[in-house]
Amino acid sequence: MTSPIEDVAASQAHADEQAEETRKPTRFAGLQRWWNGLARPQQWLVLGLVAVLLYALPLLNPPLLTTPGYDFPIVLCDMARFALVALGLNVVVGQAGLLDLGYIGFFAVGSYVAALWTSTDSTMVKIPYLATLPLAMIVTGFVGVVLGLPTLRLRGDYLAIVTLGFGEIIRLLATIIPALKGNTGFQNIGSPPGAWNGKPVFTITNGTPWFWLFLTVIIVVTLLLGNLERSRVGRAWIAIREDEDAAEVMGVPTFKFKLWAFTIGAAIGGLSGALFAGQIGFVNNQKFDVATSMLFIAAVVMGGAGNKFGAMIGGAIVAYLPYRFGFIADKKYLIFGVVLVMLMIFRPQGLFGARNHLLAYGRSIKRQAARLRRDARGDAALKEGA
Amino acid sequence: MASHDNDIPGDEAPEQHERTYSTGHLSLDKSGEDASGTPADGIPTDSPEAPPDLDSEAAQIVHQDRDIAVAVGDNLVEIRDLTVQFGGLTALDAVTFDIRRGEILGLIGPNGAGKTTCFNAMTGVYKPTSGTVTLEGKPLRGMKKHAITRAGFARTFQNIRLFGEMTALENVVVGLDARHQTSVLGALVRSPRHIREEKTSIEHGMALLEFVGIADKAGELARNLPYGYQRRLEIARALATEPKLLCLDEPAAGFNPAEKEELMALIRTIRDDGYTVLLIEHDMKLVMGVCDRIVVLEFGKKIADDVPKAIRENPAVIAAYLGVEEEDADGAA
Amino acid sequence: MLHALVAESWLTFHWSDFLSNFWNATFDGLTFGAIYALVALGYTLVYGVLNLINFAHSEVFIAGAYAVIFTLSGLGFGPSPPTLSPIAIIGDLLVALLAGALTSAIVALLVERIAYKPLRARNAPRLVFLITAIGMSFVIQYAFFLWRGAVAEPSVTMYQDKAIFIVFGSTIYLSQLIIVGAAVLMMVGIDQLIRRTRIGRGIRAVAQDPDTATLMGVNRERIIMTTFVIGGALAGAAALFYVMKVPQGVIYNGGFILGIKAFTAAVLGGIGNIRGALLGGLLLGMIGNYGAYLLGDAQWIDVVSFIVLVLVLMVRPDGILGSNLGKVRA
Ligand SMILES: Nc1ncnc2c1ncn2[C@@H]1O[C@H](COP(=O)(O)OP(=O)(O)OP(=O)(O)O)[C@@H](O)[C@H]1O
Ligand SMILES: [Mg+2]
């Protein structure tokens, strides 16, 4: 006879599988089952290998993947940028279920922070480029709080329209506020220090070091977000997404956690903006089209609700396709708009329907099962003795 | 089991929480032990995990607790002139009653009488038009819903509202989180407190699921659970918030008589563990059997408030239910 | 240093400009406000009935604007004022109005049927509705982009605008009278339609309580379609006035910002509230213009409108008149 808790170990392992089944299994289902079956160290090993492969990508320049007509490392930077953005937006849209349509606005704020404090065209105090990364996160996080405070108490629709407006307004402000230099913009934006053979490592023409920087940032952010996901914070977000009123009644301070999600998302958007500014070395008001926000949303939605790896892959794909297949470049908004609508109508769970793991020690259930079983046996023995 | 059995959860002592849930005595329900997952018939088996005889066990547990709190029977919750209006409709009309510590109080009345509205007004879902709800002498007016939950009210929903994309265990842990202290920063850097809380929450969550008898499906998504499991999961999730008062809104709706009987036994055990329970249920027979006292609502007004025996003979109550067959009332839920 | 930055190159206030142009800004603002109000009605009606922001409404509007400008240039209108008799001009304008209203109504209906109905049928979560709505918005926008390119349609002049009279030293033009007058008339008509007719009763019933309304024999799907059609037609009518006021403004993304402003107007007056939409529109039109004159650039209109939106949501999310469609009494 098995104890209930022992069955749990099996049913926990089998939960994702089940989720798959109810969500029309995809070709990714097998991959996922395999992944969930691996032990933790094995997973780390696989992740390590994937990371090494990713770091090697700009050097390998694999023939099928490469982008004729475009510098591959630079394309990789763009993909990484979209992946990072999708990662941040996924917290807001995918996990907390808040529709943030102005993500490009936060991205723009981050870029301008880097520009204003490092560019030779700016009259502001200069600080080292790397210092603008945390600064950009702080400033955009603050903007997120300012936008979130009035709107997050209201129904989700209001947040959507306010953020949509915000995305456009930031671009407008960049145009009409003299200090932001409109179309002229800022050149000579700073970059991280370091030289190789007497030449600086980080230049606007060489994408490889920038890609490595992006990748490192993505890995760090992923790990940190993973910590949040498997904590009361991540659980609160998913609970809010699933049923906000019920979450509140179960003791979740929903407003607080929504604000956190929105702010964290904004900060990551700002971070990617600052990285972007450094990588291309030039910021003006033409780079932050609101329509790009729609691409970001499409990336997250393709990835599937709340699945951070899916979101990153979605982001990379959205960035990559127009480079690889040049003929779709000018139609990309239309194409991804159609993709977005079709996904929502026919497959709202995204392409990779994975679910979030929300317990830091979910895997310890197996061990627990054994222990509880021992306890139970002990109790029974005691009882018999009595 | 004996060594654990004396650990009774006290309403007032959160630190006892840990011991409470990790003890074996909560394993009242048999369905959890049943590998097939179907609710068992309630006859104890000889297997090691089989629960002890209910009555003696419960009596044993209750005894001590009653000495501390229940025997006193002081008022845990006082509801005074609670009124809720929707536009022109008065769904709850100056309702006044007390909930005593350690009792199971039934809240009954025909469909649309205002029972759920009463829950909603108590738990902050609706803002009362007038009147007060006090918990241990502290008024709850103006408090946020989540604060009311932490103050000690927990509830289930008449129409099940679980977090569908979460597993059963995760649903319960959301409830446990109500008592957790980890900040966003703490979670980000995996602070020792975070690690401690995460570890204990798995244990507590599993114990709770076992208690309500659904631990065998702890890892399944809530929306894939069978109906009976979902109802029980709602109870487990509410219990996880460590309530002083557990409000159950038709927890047995849609159950067959055997399942209902089983659920009522569970509710009794919950009370015996030291919780106070407010129960909405249409099935008069069940309510009479399980409740210590009963409040009857009709058209938003309280028409009776007494022990079951007196309620049964109360002419106003009989009139209210006249023509309303039990089956009808039940089916409409 | 910060002070210097703020004073010199971030913001400059043009008080004298603002004061000398106050009445001018007011009347012109009312004209824009009337257009916002007509578009806002579409948001408000759909919001009342479906509890959904129809993000694609801005594209419903711009589709109408395209229809208006194509019709007018088809009828021989060009950049310079036509040499037709006033009666003929009025006839042509009515044709254009009809074309705009019809096109917008059809687009609105298509959006409803293609994007929202399947979601309703499977009871999708709100987030899915919103994402679909914004997706539809971009699909239509970029369909126009691919068709017409990134340039505005050549402008048409419908008639020789002329000064009618002078109030507070500020000239009132014929176009302003036409736009505000026609818009107010239409809004009153819709208000009466909602209050007095059978259709209106159905709309109100669904807005108030969809389930009960269905039980009482109201055909919810029909009501929803009707609502989209009415909202679309009004947006198409607004498109004519928009082309009248901003002849060079028919471009693929021209509806986008106007949509946000119209929504702001709806929220400002009280979303779901028809009279609120009119009030909100007129107010927002004036406030935006004041901001533009005060800060010295027409582009500030959008920024100021956005700030109004955030402030309203912060202070009074139910808007000035509060209430909603369901509560309108006959
Ligand atoms: N949010 C609301 N808005 C308007 N009326 C409401 C609302 N909630 C409840 N009511 C009305 O208040 C009255 C009481 O409803 P309530 O749900 O409290 O009844 P109940 O006693 O729980 O009935 P049931 O046994 O059917 O669950 C009903 O007439 C109902 O229609
Ligand atoms: Mg009820």
Side-chain angles (χ1 to χ4, degrees):
Chain A
M1 168 149 192
T2 56
S3 86
I5 205 138
E6 193 182 18
D7 296 334
V8 166
S11 84
Q12 175 86 15
H14 154 266
D16 309 271
E17 225 178 294
Q18 250 226 311
E20 264 326 293
E21 274 162 35
T22 56
R23 303 163 131 165
K24 306 176 219 159
T26 60
R27 59 186 73 232
F28 301 103
L31 186 68
Q32 206 170 359
R33 206 167 304 133
W34 167 77
W35 174 254
N36 286 324
L38 293 180
R40 205 69 180 139
Q42 287 173 309
Q43 289 188 341
W44 282 114
L45 192 72
V46 174
L47 282 180
L49 285 176
V50 171
V52 168
L53 198 71
L54 286 176
Y55 275 103
L57 262 185
L59 306 178
L60 297 175
N61 199 356
L64 265 177
L65 276 179
T66 197
T67 45
Y70 299 96
D71 182 71
F72 189 58
I74 300 260
V75 170
L76 282 175
C77 283
D78 228 25
M79 290 166 67
R81 167 169 73 97
F82 265 73
L84 181 58
V85 162
L87 190 57
L89 189 57
N90 179 51
V91 172
V92 191
V93 180
Q95 298 196 342
L98 306 166
L99 187 51
D100 182 348
L101 296 174
Y103 211 63
I104 191 70
F106 297 113
F107 183 84
V109 170
S111 296
Y112 274 99
V113 166
L116 281 168
W117 270 281
T118 64
S119 163
T120 49
D121 295 342
S122 165
T123 54
M124 310 270 283
V125 214
K126 299 290 172 302
I127 61 173
Y129 171 76
L130 286 179
T132 64
L133 300 185
L135 184 66
M137 294 180 78
I138 292 167
V139 173
T140 42
F142 176 75
V143 174
V145 171
V146 170
L147 274 189
L149 272 177
T151 39
L152 286 172
R153 283 189 201 281
L154 308 171
R155 295 226 344 222
D157 315 46
Y158 288 104
L159 181 75
I161 192 113
V162 164
T163 48
L164 185 65
F166 169 74
E168 178 69 10
I169 294 309
I170 287 298
R171 199 179 60 82
L172 261 177
L173 287 177
T175 312
I176 54 185
I177 291 183
L180 295 177
K181 291 179 162 295
N183 203 9
T184 318
F186 298 89
Q187 292 191 326
N188 300 320
I189 291 169
S191 55
W196 182 255
N197 288 338
K199 288 197 203 99
V201 176
F202 287 90
T203 61
I204 55 171
T205 46
N206 186 0
T208 307
W210 284 104
F211 175 67
W212 288 339
L213 178 61
F214 264 115
L215 208 53
T216 312
V217 168
I218 287 176
I219 290 172
V220 171
V221 171
T222 308
L223 291 176
L224 290 177
L225 288 182
N227 285 351
L228 285 185
E229 192 175 310
R230 292 181 300 275
S231 77
R232 65 188 295 235
V233 183
R235 288 189 293 270
W237 286 340
I238 305 285
I240 290 167
R241 184 189 76 194
E242 293 292 301
D243 187 337
E244 190 170 339
D245 294 332
E248 179 88 19
V249 169
M250 286 306 132
V252 177
T254 53
F255 176 69
K256 178 179 132 185
F257 280 113
K258 283 198 288 184
L259 193 58
W260 268 112
F262 192 64
T263 308
I264 289 171
I268 295 175
L271 172 65
S272 43
L275 283 168
F276 172 69
Q279 184 233 321
I280 61 166
F282 171 61
V283 167
N284 74 354
N285 62 1
Q286 301 298 303
K287 301 212 170 348
F288 310 105
D289 207 332
V290 165
T292 316
S293 279
M294 198 268 304
L295 293 186
F296 294 162
I297 296 280
V300 172
V301 165
M302 274 166 71
N307 172 4
K308 53 186 181 308
F309 290 104
M312 282 191 279
I313 296 172
I317 291 176
V318 167
Y320 174 74
L321 288 181
Y323 285 115
R324 182 66 181 79
F325 307 101
F327 60 91
I328 70 164
D330 59 336
K331 303 181 192 67
K332 66 178 171 185
Y333 294 114
L334 185 68
I335 289 173
F336 287 115
V338 171
V339 167
L340 192 59
V341 174
M342 301 292 264
L343 274 176
M344 284 292 105
I345 293 176
F346 297 111
R347 204 181 154 77
Q349 68 275 24
L351 294 180
F352 330 93
R355 65 166 223 96
N356 303 93
H357 294 265
L358 303 171
L359 298 167
Y361 297 96
R363 284 175 165 262
S364 74
I365 287 180
K366 249 180 225 165
R367 244 175 302 130
Q368 275 228 14
R371 217 194 60 232
L372 277 181
R373 217 167 40 240
R374 267 201 314 281
D375 283 1
R377 238 177 259 132
D379 283 345
L382 259 177
K383 204 170 183 185
E384 264 160 45
Chain B
M1 297 189 73
S3 62
H4 296 288
D5 282 349
N6 294 334
D7 294 332
I8 308 303
D11 300 320
E12 57 289 309
E15 65 271 18
Q16 287 188 7
H17 174 237
E18 196 163 325
R19 283 179 293 158
T20 309
Y21 292 142
S22 51
T23 54
H25 83 264
L26 290 171
S27 57
L28 160 81
D29 195 84
K30 293 98 203 161
S31 66
E33 328 280 276
D34 196 327
S36 70
T38 50
D41 53 14
I43 300 162
T45 65
D46 292 329
S47 65
E49 294 89 352
D53 179 55
L54 175 67
D55 289 337
S56 64
E57 179 90 352
Q60 209 179 32
I61 299 161
V62 170
H63 185 64
Q64 202 184 31
D65 196 50
R66 284 248 155 98
D67 278 351
I68 315 164
V70 181
V72 179
D74 60 335
N75 286 346
L76 177 69
V77 179
E78 295 177 354
I79 291 164
R80 293 284 172 271
D81 292 322
L82 197 62
T83 302
V84 177
Q85 289 175 331
F86 299 109
L89 176 84
T90 306
L92 210 58
D93 191 355
V95 168
T96 296
F97 64 93
D98 298 323
I99 304 170
R100 296 185 197 139
R101 204 182 289 277
E103 74 176 345
I104 299 179
L105 178 65
L107 185 60
I108 64 171
N111 286 112
K115 306 180 293 292
T116 303
T117 305
C118 184
F119 268 31
N120 283 336
M122 288 169 66
T123 52
V125 175
Y126 294 155
K127 227 170 98 190
T129 315
S130 65
T132 55
V133 178
T134 55
L135 172 64
E136 293 178 326
K138 289 187 292 284
L140 299 179
R141 200 177 177 85
M143 275 169 77
K144 297 248 165 53
K145 280 175 266 180
H146 62 85
I148 290 178
T149 304
R150 272 197 295 274
F153 281 1
R155 66 172 293 179
T156 64
F157 295 92
Q158 183 171 359
N159 46 341
I160 300 170
R161 293 179 75 169
L162 292 165
F163 307 123
E165 285 289 312
M166 290 187 178
T167 64
L169 181 57
E170 286 163 359
N171 266 279
V172 173
V173 176
V174 170
L176 289 170
D177 283 335
R179 300 289 164 199
H180 287 165
Q181 306 284 322
T182 302
S183 62
V184 173
L185 206 67
L188 195 67
V189 301
R190 299 173 70 92
S191 68
R193 177 195 278 161
H194 164 73
I195 291 174
R196 202 171 55 239
E197 285 181 352
E198 287 297 314
K199 282 188 170 149
T200 55
S201 62
I202 301 251
E203 238 166 78
H204 291 171
M206 283 311 300
L208 272 167
L209 289 175
E210 237 179 317
F211 175 50
V212 300
I214 59 170
D216 56 323
K217 294 205 194 295
E220 259 169 59
L221 292 189
R223 63 177 170 80
N224 294 340
L225 289 175
Y227 177 77
Y229 276 62
Q230 294 194 355
R231 284 251 172 243
R232 283 162 184 266
L233 178 53
E234 280 238 328
I235 298 177
R237 188 179 64 173
L239 277 175
T241 65
E242 284 181 44
K244 289 173 177 148
L245 174 71
L246 178 67
C247 307
L248 303 173
D249 197 342
E250 300 193 24
F255 279 17
N256 66 33
E259 289 169 331
K260 278 189 178 174
E261 206 45 72
E262 220 177 319
L263 193 79
M264 291 305 142
L266 174 67
I267 293 170
R268 248 183 244 117
T269 318
I270 291 172
R271 187 268 310 276
D272 294 349
D273 277 344
Y275 294 96
T276 309
V277 179
L278 177 59
L279 172 69
I280 295 181
E281 174 56 56
H282 272 298
D283 192 326
M284 289 292 264
K285 220 166 50 215
L286 280 174
V287 176
M288 296 289 168
V290 77
C291 294
D292 299 312
R293 278 188 319 127
I294 294 174
V295 169
V296 189
L297 295 181
E298 190 194 15
F299 297 126
K301 287 200 178 66
K302 186 175 90 171
I303 58 170
D305 178 354
D306 215 329
V307 294
K309 202 160 147 338
I311 292 289
R312 204 180 324 225
E313 279 141 27
N314 187 317
V317 177
I318 294 170
Y321 274 90
L322 208 65
V324 181
E325 291 292 326
E326 272 178 22
E327 286 80 11
D328 286 356
D330 208 10
Chain C
M1 190 201 94
L2 194 69
H3 179 75
L5 271 174
V6 171
E8 279 161 30
S9 58
W10 286 77
L11 284 182
T12 24
F13 293 96
H14 305 257
W15 283 105
S16 60
D17 268 13
F18 170 61
L19 290 175
S20 60
N21 284 298
F22 181 80
W23 290 111
N24 202 357
T26 306
F27 297 135
D28 204 47
L30 285 175
T31 319
F32 276 113
I35 297 171
Y36 301 159
L38 280 178
V39 181
L41 262 191
Y43 285 105
T44 265
L45 286 172
V46 169
Y47 197 92
V49 169
L50 280 189
N51 259 309
L52 165 78
I53 298 182
N54 177 14
F55 279 104
H57 192 58
S58 47
E59 277 56 51
V60 166
F61 162 80
I62 207 69
Y66 274 106
V68 165
I69 215 153
F70 291 158
T71 310
L72 285 177
S73 42
L75 289 170
F77 286 76
S80 49
T83 52
L84 299 166
S85 72
I87 302 289
I89 292 183
I90 290 174
D92 286 351
L93 290 195
L94 283 178
V95 170
L97 181 79
L98 219 64
L102 201 66
T103 308
S104 285
I106 289 171
V107 174
L109 194 60
L110 282 178
V111 167
E112 204 291 308
R113 292 282 105 174
I114 294 172
Y116 302 146
K117 183 169 180 276
L119 302 182
R120 244 191 347 267
R122 78 151 197 267
N123 217 346
R126 301 195 54 72
L127 183 68
V128 170
F129 270 97
L130 288 175
I131 294 179
T132 311
I134 195 72
M136 270 323 271
S137 163
F138 277 102
V139 167
I140 301 175
Q141 198 170 315
Y142 282 90
F144 276 116
F145 169 75
L146 286 185
W147 181 30
R148 308 301 301 172
V151 290
E153 298 298 317
S155 65
V156 296
T157 308
M158 302 180 197
Y159 52 87
Q160 180 68 56
D161 206 3
K162 48 180 171 254
I164 303 291
F165 47 82
I166 293 180
V167 185
F168 302 120
S170 160
T171 317
I172 306 276
Y173 288 96
L174 176 63
S175 60
Q176 296 178 325
L177 286 182
I178 292 178
I179 292 172
V180 176
V184 170
L185 249 152
M186 285 181 193
M187 310 267 309
V188 170
I190 289 297
D191 195 50
Q192 292 304 308
L193 180 91
I194 299 288
R195 275 160 204 271
R196 302 220 188 281
T197 65
R198 228 180 97 86
I199 295 175
R201 242 191 337 270
I203 292 178
R204 278 184 286 135
V206 174
Q208 203 161 33
D209 185 344
D211 297 330
T212 314
T214 315
L215 286 178
M216 312 271 275
V218 176
N219 184 340
R220 181 158 181 256
E221 288 297 309
R222 252 235 317 274
I223 291 294
I224 289 171
M225 280 159 60
T226 313
T227 309
F228 271 86
V229 166
I230 295 176
L234 287 168
L240 175 74
F241 305 129
Y242 175 77
V243 175
M244 208 179 269
K245 187 78 189 134
V246 195
Q248 72 291 357
V250 184
I251 183 167
Y252 75 101
N253 60 2
F256 180 75
I257 268 284
L258 193 131
I260 293 179
K261 283 189 281 195
F263 180 81
T264 305
V267 173
L268 180 60
I271 191 139
N273 184 323
I274 292 172
R275 295 172 182 187
L278 180 61
L279 179 68
L282 296 180
L283 272 179
L284 188 72
M286 292 190 289
I287 298 171
N289 259 9
Y290 297 150
Y293 278 104
L294 189 58
L295 294 163
D297 189 328
Q299 285 182 289
W300 279 102
I301 292 178
D302 301 342
V303 182
V304 170
S305 307
F306 176 71
I307 293 169
V308 168
L309 175 62
V310 173
L311 287 181
V312 173
L313 291 181
M314 205 181 307
V315 183
R316 200 183 160 90
D318 279 338
I320 299 171
L321 297 187
S323 160
N324 62 48
L325 203 55
K327 287 198 203 131
V328 172
R329 301 235 180 275

